[in-house]
């Protein structure tokens, strides 16, 4: 059964083939027809060449001299199967065959694999014009066959097959010694040695492998060649010159032109025709038009009528054979109808009916394997997943270690009202908001979508970003780092420190009680008298005013020669002196207020001065005032070399320090002794621009505040004791606690630094109460209070308790924010000072007023 | 002092983290495979505390994974399957290239596959864990089940997703566990309470998707692969808890009822079964045939007292909600979203039907006289029956959210619908409550409505305050713990309300004892202000932030409140996260 199947299959296939084939007659087309490209050369022609359909068959020898073989087909070319690319040219078409017009790719289109070995028809001597396209096809460099004589031609087939492997073997005109000397000129030395057939057909020459170009005649008896019959047509062909198809000009310098078949020289005609002879010939000879010159023999040949006729026919593109009918009806080689019977009539082989033993063995093996259960039928693939109770034996404790670290993904946020398809109208965006929404970046938008209102459910469109949002969620799930974030869940009230109530820390100034009005420009500095009855103020309107504290009355106004930078009342209650500085002058005034005894004793003190015997050169000049100035209260004038910014008294009231800020010299601070009218410069070096200075209330210490640091000097030992780092950008003011162990610094960068000198050189507390630059700070003499005034127009009173117990840190509590000063020219409060005995604070401001808060 | 010099980045946090590329190399996986593995195993990057230390001093942006996680992945059997698959693809390509068709066939037959069961078990050790994490799975499966079979993903995936979602809906219908629904512009949100877990999912409206090009469908497909596995197991388990047959089968009675005359014309048998299931109009077959769900009574524990009562009350309410539409007979017109409405109505015990030509599974015709409600979404109807309500679909959604049958008048055919509110918003006091919600709350309390929106607007303020007070009173009654917080918050509110401007110096004769209280208040405020001045920098910053957030919420609420008064409506997002 199986066999039959195969057979029938074969049958079908054959019949199929049959349809493709063209009738055998087609094979026998005359050679001329081959010059035109075969329309269907492929499968049709070479149906037997199944494996390699590319061999093209040239029907050999059809031309004039031989009749075409009727069925050269498979039998003739059976040897070609192994080498489909050898093309056989009909030999001996000598005279009549014109070179193929398109010998190239068209002709050999079926030579797909190796289209280039082409055999040139030998001996086309006379009529053959050089081919127009000789290139790769027609003139393969090597294999040119020299027609050495007719005997050779019969062996064509054998020769050709040998030519395949060695394309460059050249056939030698045999026999003569003479000829072999020509060989060197005739051909280029063969690159590959080859075998050459002797023209007699009896022997074969083979070039020597090791000596290319030198041909050693080695004779082989070639019995194999005898099987080719020598066709009489080849013998009868008239070949006079045996040099072959070579350029004849090679023989230019010789008297002969080649060799005939017997090996004799063919001599050129003695006299060549010149132009005149040619012309005469042309004019006179009636056969001139049919005379052609044979280069190989150098003779003129007159073409016969048949030949001329043939040339004419070929020129017209007709077949050379007159009798050939090119329009014969085509008969299929195989019928195009599917046949039920095989093409071959061969009876089936016996083996087709005998079961195969090998197959039986194989089958029995398989059967055994199936029986043993080694081979099982393939299970059908399951496409749907199988579900079962995965958590049948769930053990909540069997959690992998990493699950402890696992942070579950946060859930999607639930939608709010604004996401509704029909939201309340207040959730819809106004036109401006919509515009703003559209212009925002997608990341900045508070809502990722535009709230929309639809009148009914059927009007709701698809949400265009649905897949996007799902995808983004996916990205979040696998790309976002997860972290447990501690949400600060504190009550803001808990953050506020628990401080003692200001009520419990009384007394402190709470309300503004008096405003001292009189100055016309900003009041730079104020100072209260040690008794607390008087207040002195210096202003930019070049006046110093004395006020009675309790009434707010201006007792006295003194004009001075410049804007007053600083005023300081002598802290000694037994002396009534006020230091005033303006420009480069420090003026000591006796205001004449208060106890007359004190006033007179002060005057006495000043006049009782006796100049020392030897006058020392001093940095300042001390001058005693006289005349109207003396009546005004001027007592002493200290003229400094530079502008003075600040004056400050020592606690005892005899020493006075003045500050002349100058970044370039060491002469910045001067200490004056009033009783001896002596001045000294305590510093040898410049340590930076001095902002303010101050005396220690009890010990002989001197505080100098530069831009960023406060230096504490011991005046007796004359050395630097401490350097305090304020952490401020620019110190504006400084005050020392009456106890002497604490210090506050106000700075222009809104900070107030409290230093505990026993604790550290860094601030104990940094207070940022003010919004603008601090201008003045002050301690109260008796109460645990300190005040700071700033450009924001407020004075902040803080409770600053310093304990005697060294273990307890100072307690600082802000108790009151006092406001009242107007801000003029971006300046608010310029100076603050406490009342010496009462818990009152004075503040002077840029609005030309002084205010008293009680 | 000797000893070896300690090298940097060889201990501590630098060794606890690994960059993505290094992890990939360690696992010998391509980036795509690594991504798939991370998705399947639920591995996500971690943000180190000190990025520069971990990054070995570099500040380049890198993704870091915990080294432990990667080591954990090393032992994953699926990694080997990935490699096998890679080899398979290579072989297949080769076979194709050589045109070895038998080889291709053989390779195809032996295509390596993998199962995710063990991963699911590992990621979710208990069933409740899995149930808690099913939100995304549901949304994704519902999305995939709506995809067209055009090659964005495998057809099998789509059908599987569809099958699983239908099973899920059937479960929710049978267990009557749907709680809230919301029609948003994105789709329809559903919230169900399954075994005590609130599960929310989003279903897109039934439209063909406009597939975006900037979305990597492979990532989504990997997620879906994982989700379908998880979802299937969950469904199995859930069906088991209800004694239902899995895969679901229609009740034999229902099945015979549903047997249409020309069923063969409709679809193939296998397809039509899923269609019938997805029609949701019939009940499911049970393993053990029982009567309708027995009432599970709460056992009374005498010790719990009040708490017990509250629970009982809650239970009753829930039961009532489950029977919200019981006894009603609905008919869905063809223009309404059938599946969604049938699902919701069936969840609350109603009978639903639709036109026979619309979908399989309709049980009665329009002409049925016993129909009580017909859901329509068109401006007008030609033929109307006198004994039924023609209502718009929003009524169903609003009623479910209100847990009561709302009056149908507002939802009649052709009327302008009242706004549809989100049931997921729970207003804390201080938040803005839309007037419709207030009205609804009044309705729920049993008050008679009858105020239009405008009237409501005007009274809204007072009412809200009343509400708040009431709530507060309730709270006080219930527990006194919150009392302090409340009063404090009140204070804060008042403070904000009074707006004492800081630093205003009183006129210096405030001796008049006119308003003592005010004086005291001012004093207190100043005291606080002074205390704030003494705060540390860090705390001050935090405090300022909190106060800023509080102020912003109040501002937004007030802007929402004034919005209806304005001619143009106004909205700001009131979902600002407020830290307190």
């Amino acid at each position: 059964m199986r066999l039959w199947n195969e057979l029938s299959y074969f049958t079908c296939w054959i019949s199929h083939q049959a349809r493709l084939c063209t009738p055998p007659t087609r094979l026998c087309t005359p050679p001329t027809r081959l010059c035109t490209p075969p329309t269907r050369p492929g499968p049709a022609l070479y149906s037997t060449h199944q494996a390699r359909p590319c061999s093209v068959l040239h029907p050999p020898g059809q031309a004039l001299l031989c009749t075409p073989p009727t069925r050269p087909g498979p039998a003739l070319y059976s040897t070609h199967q192994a080498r489909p690319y050898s093309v056989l040219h009909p030999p001996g078409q000598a005279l009549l065959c014109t070179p193929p017009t398109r010998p190239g790719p068209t002709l050999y289109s079926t030579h797909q694999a190796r289209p280039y070995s082409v055999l040139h028809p030998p001996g086309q001597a006379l009529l053959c014009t050089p081919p127009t396209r000789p290139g790769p096809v027609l003139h393969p460099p090597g294999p040119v066959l020299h027609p050495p004589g007719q005997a050779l031609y019969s062996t064509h087939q054998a020769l050709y097959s040998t030519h395949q492997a060695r394309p460059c073997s050249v056939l030698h005109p045999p026999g003569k010694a003479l000829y072999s000397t020509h060989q060197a000129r005739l051909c280029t030395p063969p690159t590959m040695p080859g075998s050459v057939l002797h023209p007699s057909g009896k022997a074969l020459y083979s070039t020597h492998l090791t000596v290319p170009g030198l041909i050693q005649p080695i004779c082989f008896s070639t019995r194999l060649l005898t099987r080719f019959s020598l066709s009489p047509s080849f013998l009868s062909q008239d070949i006079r010159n045996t040099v072959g198809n070579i350029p004849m000009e090679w023989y230019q310098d010789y008297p002969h032109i080649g060799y005939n078949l017997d090996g004799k020289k063919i001599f050129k005609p003695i006299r060549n025709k010149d132009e005149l002879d040619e012309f005469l010939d042309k004019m006179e000879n009636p056969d001139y038009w049919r005379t052609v010159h044979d280069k190989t023999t150098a003779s003129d040949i007159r073409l016969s009528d048949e030949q001329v006729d043939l040339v004419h026919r070929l020129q017209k593109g007709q077949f050379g054979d007159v009798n050939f009918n090119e329009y014969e009806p085509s008969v299929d080689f195989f019928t195009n109808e599917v046949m039920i019977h095989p093409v071959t009539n061969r009876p089936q082989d016996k083996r087709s009916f005998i079961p195969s033993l090998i197959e039986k063995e194989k089958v029995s093996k398989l059967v055994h394997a199936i029986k043993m259960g080694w081979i099982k039928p393939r299970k059908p693939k399951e496409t749907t997943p199988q579900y079962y109770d995965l958590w049948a034996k769930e053990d909540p404790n069997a959690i992998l270690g990493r699950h402890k670290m696992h942070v579950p993904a946060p859930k999607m946020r639930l939608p709010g009202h604004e996401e509704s398809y029909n939201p309340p109208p207040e959730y819809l965006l106004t036109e401006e908001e919509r515009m703003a929404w559209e212009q925002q970046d997608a990341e900045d938008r508070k809502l990722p979508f535009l709230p929309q209102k639809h009148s009914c459910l059927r009007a709701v469109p698809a949400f265009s970003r649905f897949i996007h949002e799902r995808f983004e969620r996916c990205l979040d799930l696998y790309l976002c780092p997860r972290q447990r974030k501690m949400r600060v869940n504190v009550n803001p009230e808990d953050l506020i420190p628990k401080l003692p109530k200001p009520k419990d820390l009384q007394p402190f100034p709470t309300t503004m009680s008096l405003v001292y009005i009189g100055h016309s420009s900003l009041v730079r500095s104020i100072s209260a008298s040690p008794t607390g009855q008087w207040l002195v103020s210096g202003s930019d309107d070049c006046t110093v005013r004395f006020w009675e504290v309790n009434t707010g009355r201006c007792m006295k106004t003194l004009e001075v020669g410049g804007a007053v930078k600083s005023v300081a009342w002598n802290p000694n209650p037994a002396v009534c002196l006020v230091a005033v500085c303006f420009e480069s002058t420090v003026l000591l005034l006796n205001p004449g207020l208060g106890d007359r005894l004190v006033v007179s004793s002060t005057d006495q003190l000043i006049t009782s001065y006796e100049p020392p015997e030897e006058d020392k050169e001093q940095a300042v000049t001390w001058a005693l005032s006289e005349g109207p100035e003396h009546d005004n209260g001027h007592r002493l004038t200290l003229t400094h070399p530079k502008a003075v910014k600040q004056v400050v008294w020592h606690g005892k009231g005899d020493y006075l320090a003045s500050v002349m800020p100058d970044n370039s010299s060491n002469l910045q601070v001067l200490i004056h002794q009033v009783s001896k009218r002596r001045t000294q410069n305590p510093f040898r070096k410049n340590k930076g621009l001095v902002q303010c200075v101050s005396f220690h209330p009890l010990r002989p210490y001197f505080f100098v505040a530069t831009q960023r640091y406060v230096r504490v000097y011991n005046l007796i030992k004359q050395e630097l004791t401490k350097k305090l780092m304020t952490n401020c950008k620019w110190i504006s003011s400084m005050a020392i606690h009456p106890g002497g162990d604490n210090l506050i610094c106000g700075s222009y960068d809104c900070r107030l630094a409290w230093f505990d000198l026993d604790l550290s050189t860094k601030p104990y507390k940094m207070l940022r109460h003010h919004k603008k630059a601090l201008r003045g700070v002050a301690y109260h003499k008796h109460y645990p209070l300190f005040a700071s005034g700033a450009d924001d127009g407020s004075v902040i009173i803080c409770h600053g308790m310093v304990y005697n117990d060294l273990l307890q840190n100072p307690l600082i509590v802000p108790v009151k924010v006092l406001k009242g000063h107007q801000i003029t020219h971006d300046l608010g409060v310029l100076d603050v000072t406490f009342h010496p005995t009462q818990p009152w604070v004075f503040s002077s401001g840029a609005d030309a007023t002084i205010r008293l808060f009680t | 002092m000797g000893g070896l010099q300690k090298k940097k980045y060889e201990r501590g946090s630098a060794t606890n983290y690994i960059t993505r590329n290094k992890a990939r190399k360690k696992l010998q996986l391509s980036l795509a495979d690594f991504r798939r593995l991370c998705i399947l195993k639920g591995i996500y990057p971690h943000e180190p505390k000190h990025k520069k230390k971990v990054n070995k001093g570099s500040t380049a942006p890198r993704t870091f994974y915990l080294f432990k996680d990667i080591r954990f992945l090393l032992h994953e059997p699926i990694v080997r399957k990935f490699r096998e698959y890679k080899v398979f693809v290579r072989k297949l390509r080769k076979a194709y290239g050589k045109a070895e068709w038998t080889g291709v066939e053989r390779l195809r037959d032996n295509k390596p596959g993998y199962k995710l069961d063990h991963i699911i078990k590992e990621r979710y050790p208990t069933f409740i864990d899995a149930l808690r994490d099913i939100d995304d799975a549901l949304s994704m499966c519902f999305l995939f089940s709506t995809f067209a079979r055009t090659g964005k993903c495998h057809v099998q995936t789509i059908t599987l997703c569809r099958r699983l979602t239908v099973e899920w809906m059937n479960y929710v219908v049978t267990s009557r566990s749907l709680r809230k629904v919301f029609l948003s512009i994105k789709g329809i949100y559903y919230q169900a309470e399954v075994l005590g877990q609130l599960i929310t999912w989003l279903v897109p409206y039934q439209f063909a998707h406009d597939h975006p090009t900037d979305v990597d469908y492979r990532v989504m497909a990997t997620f879906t692969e994982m989700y379908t596995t998880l979802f299937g197991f969950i469904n199995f388990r859930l069906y088991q808890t209800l004694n239902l047959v899995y895969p679901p089968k229609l009740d034999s009675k229902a099945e015979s009822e549903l047997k249409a005359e020309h069923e063969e014309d409709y679809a193939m048998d296998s397809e039509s079964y899923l269609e019938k299931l997805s029609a949701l109009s019939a009940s499911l077959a049970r393993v053990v045939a029982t009567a309708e769900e027995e009432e599970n009574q709460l056992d009374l524990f005498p010790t719990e007292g009040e708490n017990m009562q509250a629970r009982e009350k809650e239970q009753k309410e829930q039961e009532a909600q489950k029977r919200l539409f019981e006894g009603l007979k609905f008919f869905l017109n063809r223009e309404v979203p059938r599946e969604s409405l049938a699902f919701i109505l069936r969840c609350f015990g109603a009978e639903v039907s639709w036109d026979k030509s619309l979908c399989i599974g309709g049980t009665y015709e329009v002409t049925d006289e016993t129909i009580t409600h017909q859901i329509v979404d068109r401006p007008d109807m030609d033929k109307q029956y006198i004994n039924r309500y023609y209502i718009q679909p929003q009524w169903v959604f609003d009623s479910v959210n209100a847990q009561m049958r709302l009056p149908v008048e507002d939802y009649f055919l052709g009327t302008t619908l009242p706004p549809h509110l989100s049931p997921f918003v729970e207003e804390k006091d201080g938040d803005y409550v839309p007037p419709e919600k207030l009205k609804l709350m009044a309705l729920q309390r049993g008050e008679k409505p009858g105020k239009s929106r405008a009237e409501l607007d005007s009274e809204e303020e007072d009412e809200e305050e009343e509400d708040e007070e009431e709530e507060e009173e309730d709270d006080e009654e219930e527990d006194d713990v919150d009392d302090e917080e409340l009063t404090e918050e009140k204070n804060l509110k008042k403070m904000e309300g009074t707006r004492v401007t800081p630093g205003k110096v009183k006129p210096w004769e405030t001796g008049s004892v006119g308003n003592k209280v005010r004086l005291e208040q001012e004093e207190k405020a100043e005291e606080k202000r002074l205390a704030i001045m003494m705060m540390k920098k860090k705390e001050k910053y935090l405090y300022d932030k909190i106060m800023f957030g509080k102020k912003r919420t109040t501002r937004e609420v007030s802007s929402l409140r004034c919005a209806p008064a304005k001619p143009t409506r106004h909205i700001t997002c009131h979902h600002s996260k407020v830290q307190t």
Side-chain angles (χ1 to χ4, degrees), chain B residues 57-182:
Chain B
S58 154
T59 48
R62 286 209 175 93
T63 318
F64 291 101
Y65 288 85
L66 273 186
F67 192 71
K68 261 188 185 173
D69 282 352
I70 302 303
R71 227 169 21 212
F72 170 72
L73 286 182
L74 276 174
H75 304 292
E76 179 53 49
I78 278 209
V79 176
R80 208 180 61 227
K81 298 280 184 188
F82 282 168
R83 292 191 195 121
E84 271 175 24
Y85 193 81
K86 197 173 70 183
V87 173
F88 160 73
V89 169
R90 202 165 54 209
K91 281 181 180 166
L92 197 67
R93 205 187 303 130
K94 206 176 223 174
Y96 262 112
K98 289 178 169 178
E100 291 170 350
W101 307 120
T102 48
V104 167
E105 207 171 301
R106 182 177 47 78
L107 283 170
R108 277 268 164 80
D109 283 344
N110 297 324
K111 181 180 174 182
Y114 54 86
K115 286 197 161 184
L116 299 175
D117 305 8
H118 66 284
I119 288 183
I120 302 291
K121 185 75 200 279
E122 182 189 279
R123 283 184 68 172
Y124 307 105
T126 62
F127 178 58
I128 292 297
D129 287 338
L131 206 55
R132 230 176 257 158
D133 215 11
I134 205 185
D135 283 18
D136 287 315
L138 273 168
S139 298
M140 190 68 115
C141 286
F142 270 102
L143 170 65
F144 263 66
S145 64
T146 57
F147 276 177
R149 301 172 181 195
T150 49
K152 278 290 166 196
C153 63
H154 291 296
V155 176
Q156 290 100 308
T157 316
I158 295 170
T159 44
L160 181 62
C161 282
R162 176 71 185 151
R163 188 195 123 187
L164 290 169
T165 50
V166 166
E167 282 168 9
W168 170 259
M169 284 197 287
N170 270 307
Y171 169 78
V172 173
V173 166
T174 318
S175 65
R176 296 211 177 166
S177 45
L178 193 68
R179 291 287 169 270
K180 287 169 181 175
V181 282
F182 177 50

Side-chain angles (χ1 to χ4, degrees), chain A residues 378 381 384-396 398-400 402-403 405-407 411-430 433 446-447 449-452 454-458 460-463 466-471 473-475 477-483 487-493 495-497 499 501-503 511-512 765 767-769 796 812 814-819, chain B residues 35 39 43-45 47 66 69 72 109 111 117 120-127 130 132 135-136 139-140 143 163 182-186 189 198 200 202 204-205 207 211-212 214-217 219-220 223 227-229 232-233 236-237 240 246 337 377-379 393-394 417-422 424-425 427 432 434-435 453 488 492 503 505 508 523 526-528 530-531 533-535 539 543 556 560 563 569-571 574-575 579-580:
Chain A
R378 198 170 279 145
K381 277 255 172 180
T384 52
Q386 289 299 304
Y387 298 120
Y388 52 90
D389 193 358
L390 189 70
W391 294 279
K393 282 184 284 179
E394 71 182 20
D395 180 10
I399 296 172
L400 285 170
R402 68 169 296 275
H403 281 87
M405 296 276 290
H406 183 68
V407 184
K411 297 205 166 189
M412 290 286 273
R413 228 183 55 204
L414 291 171
H417 298 311
E418 66 279 352
E419 208 184 306
S420 168
Y421 87 102
N422 182 15
E426 61 265 27
Y427 287 94
L428 293 172
L429 297 188
T430 56
E433 280 168 330
K446 269 185 171 178
L447 281 177
F449 54 88
L450 271 174
Q452 284 160 343
H454 301 283
S455 58
C456 52
L457 189 56
R458 71 168 186 279
V460 184
F463 185 59
F466 195 94
I467 296 176
H468 273 116
E469 288 199 345
R470 240 9 292 150
F471 178 62
R473 170 73 176 167
C474 287
L475 289 187
L477 283 177
Y478 90 93
L479 277 183
C480 275
R482 294 181 204 166
Q483 205 173 35
R487 264 281 161 86
V488 189
N489 199 10
V490 289
N491 190 353
E493 303 301 314
L495 292 172
I496 299 170
L499 294 172
K501 287 195 171 175
K503 228 182 227 173
T511 50
M512 183 160 64
K765 266 257 155 83
L767 307 175
R768 292 176 194 81
H769 294 170
I796 293 180
I812 301 169
V815 287
K816 193 68 193 173
V817 179
L818 300 169
K819 294 211 165 189
Chain B
R35 187 172 56 204
I39 291 170
I43 304 287
Y44 46 84
E47 188 84 353
L66 273 186
D69 282 352
F72 170 72
D109 283 344
K111 181 180 174 182
D117 305 8
I120 302 291
K121 185 75 200 279
E122 182 189 279
R123 283 184 68 172
Y124 307 105
T126 62
F127 178 58
R132 230 176 257 158
D135 283 18
D136 287 315
S139 298
M140 190 68 115
L143 170 65
R163 188 195 123 187
F182 177 50
L183 290 167
S184 94
I185 51 172
K186 293 181 184 173
Y189 284 90
L198 279 180
T200 318
L202 171 63
Y205 288 117
F207 287 106
H211 284 289
D214 52 343
V215 161
D216 190 355
Y217 278 90
V219 171
M220 300 241 284
F223 267 102
Y227 284 151
T228 46
T229 319
F233 286 122
F236 186 92
R237 175 81 177 221
Q240 225 182 21
Y246 188 89
D377 195 5
R378 52 176 80 177
Q394 196 189 319
L417 289 166
H420 180 58
L421 297 177
S422 165
F424 304 111
V425 180
E427 282 93 356
Y432 173 69
R453 190 184 163 93
E488 269 184 22
L492 198 126
V505 177
W508 44 96
E523 209 166 81
E526 196 184 356
E527 205 175 288
K528 194 178 156 195
L530 289 169
M533 287 201 320
M534 279 308 283
M535 272 165 102
E539 287 173 353
Y543 180 83
E556 277 162 5
L560 271 179
R569 305 295 188 183
H570 181 78
I571 183 182
H574 62 164
H575 271 277
Q579 300 181 326
T580 45

Side-chain angles (χ1 to χ4, degrees), chain A residues 186-203:
Chain A
L186 266 176
C187 60
T188 53
T191 47
M192 276 179 71
S195 64
V196 179
L197 195 70
H198 194 274
S200 65
K202 296 289 184 330

